[in-house]
Structure formats: C-alpha cells, structure tokens
Amino acid sequence: MRRLLAALAAGTFLVAASACGSSDGGGASDKNASSGGTTTVKVGIIPIVDVAPLYLGQQKGFYAKRGLKLSMTTAQGGAAIVPGVVSGQFQFGFSNMTSLMIAQSNNVPVKAIANGVASTGVAGKDFGAITVKKGSSIKSAKDLEGKKVAVNTVKNINETAVRESVRKAGGDPSRVEFVELAFDQMPAALDSGQIDAAMVVEPALATVKSQGGTEIASSLVDVAQNLTVAMYFTSAQYAQKNPGVVKKFQEATAESLAYADAHPDEVRQIVTTYTKIPAAVLEKVTLPKWPAEPNRASIEALEKLGAQDGLFKTEPDLDKLLP
C-alpha cells in the first residue's frame, strides 16, 4: 500500500493553502460531531472553478448549520489528493473520475460520496478546452500530432480527453507529447511558446482567451455528453467509522451544488477569494454544471477510454466506487 500511495502521489506537490479552520484533524469524527460541537474536516481540493460550491457553501453556512467546518488544502490534481485522503491527511477530497477509477482498480479504498462537477455538454461553450496561442498554426486536434500538449496530470482524465479529441479529428493520439503542468501555469507557458497547446479548465481558460488564445476542441464534450468530470470522495475506512459526518458532508454539499448552479454571479465572486484571476477576466469565465447526481453513462464512457489508454490494471468496479 505504501508503494502504491507513493506512486499515486509521484510527480505532484501539495501546496499549503489558507486553512478555513483548525489544523487539528482530531475533530473530524462522529464522536465529536455527536457532542454538539463543530467538527472541522480537512478537504483536499484543486484551486479551480469546479470547487466554488464548497467555498459558497461555507460562506452561506450550509456546512455550519450541520456542525461542520471545512479546512481546505490545494493540490495540483486529483492524483495527489487520493493518497492524502486514504492516509488520513484529509477526511474528504475532490478528484476527477479517472483518478478515482485508477485508485479503485488498484484496490485503494476510496468511495465517491457526492457529485462534484459536470461538463456543460456544449462544444465551444464548455469550462474545459484544448487551447492554442494567438496565431498558432494548429487549427484542430488532429494537428496536435508531434506537438507538446500540457495537461495538469499525465495518464489521467485530461490526457484521455485530449486523446479522444485527436481520434475524433482523425489523428493519432500516440504521436502527441504530453507534459505535466499546473492549470494556473498553462496560460504563461502557452503564451511564451514553451508548449504548443494546453488542456485547460476555468479560470485558466478565460486567461488564455484574454491573451488572444483560441479553443480548438472541447475535449470533455468529446468524451461523453454531459460528462461527470469529478466527485467528492472519502476513504472506505473513514466512511465506515464516521457515517454521521459523511452524511452531513453529503447533505451540505448537495445544498451547495444546487445553490451554485442557481447563482452564477455569486460563483464568479467567490472564485476571486481562492484564485488570482482578475475581475475583467472573471466575467468571461464559462461556468460548469453542478448537477445533484453523477451521470453513470458518462462515467462508463470515460472508463472505456481509460481502459483503451491502458490506465487500469483491472477493470474498475463502479458499483463499489459510486454512491
């Protein structure tokens, strides 16, 4: 297990973020919750638009009224968050579905408990896209053959998505060179020519566009219609020992997702509290969807592509992984 967790965390670096609560993990149990006090739970997240509902929910008191306080720590991607949750560093985490399926296929005890974020399902109007700099000769995903393309984590959901866009455009994805780069570093790397293209999500997508960059494919849409991109999860051990805390987190997160979906202006405002995006760029951010339930069919499509790309040693058991 140690070797597996080390492998999952390889190439990633957890960055300390402003904690929204106590750093003492001892409060995150049913025992403390039942005493009527506030339970602080640590949550591993990525500093992107996707997690805005958690920040909104904290601000609106959706977690507080259930006796929960969120302490957020940021990471580059879901692959770094998985071992953090399994080891007990975090009680909950936000991760893309591919990272969760890779973990589950390797018998890492993770359990998805609440929906995270979904694609808009509209090509050219999604919160994630393959982008190129202004004046680039790359006009379609097929042109990425032989080119350097940035993804936040290699051998993961965004690489799978780019590969599918290349296939659908008639290209050979095996000829694409993938490099790992944090989302917030992609706009500058693209503008300076360090990379030829970048698979970005908001708010980095809006930043790229503000620099004159353009979209050449909506890769998350290419994977599946209304793709469930990510979910919130916990470890099987924590879920078994603390069902009360998990239930409260599920309920508060569901309320937060619904509120975010219905209040886009407040979503844009809250994003300024945990990213450095300028207000002028923020207005142009394309928001994702925050449905109440995951789209099982879309996850199955992503699983099929992941298997095609050789990401799983054994077939993930979605019945065990999903709520």
Side-chain angles (χ1 to χ4, degrees), residues 15-16 73 81 100 106 145 177 196 244-245 249 265 267:
V15 184
T73 298
I81 296 171
L100 292 177
N106 282 300
E145 293 179 347
E177 180 186 353
D196 299 302
V245 176
F249 182 84
D265 290 343
V267 168

Side-chain angles (χ1 to χ4, degrees), residues 163-208:
R163 286 178 178 274
E164 183 63 1
S165 289
V166 173
R167 288 189 196 100
K168 288 192 170 182
D172 180 0
S174 70
R175 295 182 59 193
V176 178
E177 180 186 353
F178 289 97
V179 296
E180 193 167 276
L181 202 62
F183 286 125
D184 61 2
Q185 295 174 17
M186 291 183 188
L190 192 62
D191 202 42
S192 67
Q194 294 176 38
I195 53 177
D196 299 302
M199 174 61 203
V200 292
V201 298
E202 296 290 12
L205 176 56
T207 301
V208 169

Side-chain angles (χ1 to χ4, degrees), residues 135-184:
S136 173
S137 61
I138 300 171
K139 304 301 180 185
S140 76
K142 185 180 188 303
D143 297 333
L144 296 176
E145 293 179 347
K147 299 296 192 295
K148 190 178 291 186
V149 181
V151 291
N152 70 313
T153 308
V154 295
K155 301 295 182 184
N156 217 289
I157 186 169
N158 285 316
E159 179 175 327
T160 290
V162 171
R163 286 178 178 274
E164 183 63 1
S165 289
V166 173
R167 288 189 196 100
K168 288 192 170 182
D172 180 0
S174 70
R175 295 182 59 193
V176 178
E177 180 186 353
F178 289 97
V179 296
E180 193 167 276
L181 202 62
F183 286 125
D184 61 2

Side-chain angles (χ1 to χ4, degrees), residues 30 91-92 109 111 113 234-247:
D30 270 1
Q91 281 72 57
F92 302 103
K111 179 68 178 176
I113 57 170
T234 189
S235 68
Q237 181 181 23
Y238 186 81
Q240 185 177 15
K241 290 185 175 180
N242 302 282
V245 176
V246 170
K247 185 178 180 182

